[in-house]
Amino acid sequence: MTDRTKINETNLFPKLVTGSLLMSAVLAVLTALLVSLKFGLSLLAGGLLATANFIWLRRGLESVLALTPSLAPKLATLRFILRLAIMAGFLYLLIVVLGADIFGILIGLSILVINIILFSIYLSTRKGG
């Protein structure tokens, strides 16, 4: 494995995002073929939502950490509430308005957590790590 393909602390975030998107897509196709199209699309929507939320969280934290200590807590709280409200709005839209499969969405939302666990296992068991 070359240094470019090896997972380390410097490239963990992009690899985690890419892995989550790939896993979401593959599982969505498989479940669309094996279960139903609605379930597969719901799983994909949940995976995309979780990944987008993760990216937004990181960018928000990076910007808050660059602020003065007196302003950072206020902005962090505002960003957290805004992000939570927008995610709730998307979930409402998916479930109530579009009639997405709740279990598909839940599995999709869990894909990021599954990837974090797999990456943690990989990083803790690789040689020299």
Side-chain angles (χ1 to χ4, degrees), residues 7-61:
I7 299 169
N8 56 43
E9 290 77 20
T10 58
N11 68 0
L12 180 63
F13 183 77
K15 296 263 186 201
L16 192 55
V17 168
T18 304
S20 295
L21 292 174
L22 283 173
M23 185 182 281
S24 296
V26 169
L27 288 176
V29 169
L30 286 175
T31 56
L33 293 172
L34 299 174
V35 181
S36 72
L37 180 61
K38 180 180 176 180
F39 191 88
L41 290 174
S42 299
L43 190 146
L44 180 63
L48 293 175
L49 195 60
T51 306
N53 188 40
F54 185 60
I55 293 168
W56 192 4
L57 175 66
R58 179 179 180 178
R59 288 187 180 159
L61 288 173

Side-chain angles (χ1 to χ4, degrees), residues 16 110-124:
L16 192 55
S110 301
I111 287 175
L112 181 65
V113 176
I114 293 167
N115 268 316
I116 289 171
I117 292 168
L118 292 175
F119 277 54
S120 298
I121 292 169
Y122 169 78
L123 289 172
S124 65

Side-chain angles (χ1 to χ4, degrees), residues 51-127:
T51 306
N53 188 40
F54 185 60
I55 293 168
W56 192 4
L57 175 66
R58 179 179 180 178
R59 288 187 180 159
L61 288 173
E62 287 174 343
S63 66
V64 166
L65 290 173
L67 296 174
T68 62
S70 61
L71 187 59
K74 295 173 190 167
L75 186 61
T77 303
L78 180 65
R79 282 179 167 249
F80 174 77
I81 292 170
L82 179 64
R83 187 172 47 82
L84 191 62
I86 291 173
M87 289 301 143
F90 275 117
L91 287 172
Y92 176 83
L93 178 71
L94 285 169
I95 296 167
V96 176
V97 177
L98 298 176
D101 188 285
I102 294 173
F103 293 111
I105 291 174
L106 288 174
I107 292 170
L109 289 171
S110 301
I111 287 175
L112 181 65
V113 176
I114 293 167
N115 268 316
I116 289 171
I117 292 168
L118 292 175
F119 277 54
S120 298
I121 292 169
Y122 169 78
L123 289 172
S124 65
T125 59
R126 69 175 189 210
K127 289 185 178 183

